[in-house]
Amino acid sequence: MEDLYFIAIIPPVGLRERIDEIRKEVSLDHGVYSALKPPVHITLAAPFKLKPAMEQQLIQKLKSLCNFDPFIQKLEDFDGFPEHTVFIKALKNTGISALYKNLKAALKPYTEGSKNPINPHITIAYRDAKEAYPKIMEQYQNRRFREEFLTDHFTLLKHDGKRWNIHSEYYAQPAASQLEMSL
């Protein structure tokens, strides 16, 4: 048997609650509920399976990726992947791009990995939204959403058979700059 994991950036509580209200609004208005299952997040590594014996090795590998500088992640407006997914855009920046690249390289032994560049976003409707997609996009494509938050960690989530749970969090530990002494 294998366990199911994914890696994400989870926004701070207040913002997460605000976005979750939007997800609930979409669900009630359009009868789509899949997006309510995982926590509000920006995916860094899509779900992957791993044998339980490999979990500690994965944790150690992720700890080695904490050498990154915290960065501001901006969220801006709504968009979609035609015919199935509606999301809040998370603007690409050097911080998230570097973190994604490092995770992708580190996870290569565990996953086949995505061959695509990062397309950061926070999903508000997917999977069961195919029929409702045109109506959801009509409702949200011109709606404005502007927010930003400090990203100082990423999260490993593990599925328990019913829901995604936070397994562990990995906080930024930028390389300490060398102390210079003046003589």
Side-chain angles (χ1 to χ4, degrees):
M1 187 172 125
E2 294 181 313
D3 293 319
L4 191 59
Y5 300 89
F6 85 97
I7 300 169
I9 294 171
I10 297 181
V13 175
L15 178 56
R16 207 167 50 228
E17 290 170 348
R18 188 168 156 218
I19 294 169
D20 201 42
E21 287 303 313
I22 294 169
R23 295 191 319 174
K24 288 174 183 172
E25 177 184 300
V26 170
S27 292
L28 291 173
D29 289 351
H30 301 280
V32 294
Y33 301 98
S34 291
L36 296 177
K37 292 179 182 178
V40 170
H41 68 279
I42 299 170
T43 300
L44 291 171
F48 59 95
K49 292 180 179 180
L50 197 63
K51 290 181 174 38
M54 299 291 290
E55 185 176 273
Q56 283 307 313
Q57 186 179 355
L58 173 65
I59 288 168
Q60 290 307 311
K61 181 65 84 171
L62 294 176
K63 283 180 182 176
S64 75
L65 299 176
C66 291
N67 185 14
F68 69 94
D69 290 318
F71 57 91
I72 298 296
Q73 182 58 60
K74 294 182 179 184
L75 305 176
E76 185 175 293
D77 302 333
F78 297 84
D79 203 349
F81 298 129
E83 303 312 312
H84 56 77
T85 303
V86 180
F87 56 82
I88 295 170
K89 293 185 286 187
L91 302 183
K92 237 189 241 188
N93 59 66
T94 56
I96 197 168
S97 295
L99 186 55
Y100 174 77
K101 181 181 170 191
N102 291 339
L103 271 167
K104 188 174 164 181
L107 293 175
K108 208 170 195 173
Y110 309 102
T111 68
E112 290 180 25
S114 171
K115 293 171 182 34
N116 300 323
I118 188 168
N119 188 349
H121 61 277
I122 296 178
T123 301
I124 62 166
Y126 76 129
R127 288 193 183 156
D128 60 351
K130 191 168 184 168
E131 285 184 34
Y133 178 85
K135 287 183 180 182
I136 298 170
M137 281 305 293
E138 184 179 318
Q139 183 179 353
Y140 283 88
Q141 67 187 356
N142 294 317
R143 190 167 159 182
R144 298 288 160 238
F145 186 93
R146 300 270 198 288
E147 196 60 67
E148 63 182 43
F149 62 96
L150 178 67
T151 300
D152 64 354
H153 70 285
F154 62 90
T155 303
L156 174 65
L157 294 104
K158 184 176 181 180
H159 203 273
D160 66 9
K162 292 184 181 179
R163 69 178 56 95
W164 288 102
N165 298 293
I166 292 174
H167 181 281
S168 46
E169 296 179 305
Y170 300 88
Y171 285 84
Q173 298 174 355
S177 50
Q178 221 173 2
L179 187 61
E180 291 183 29
M181 296 178 68
S182 55
L183 298 173

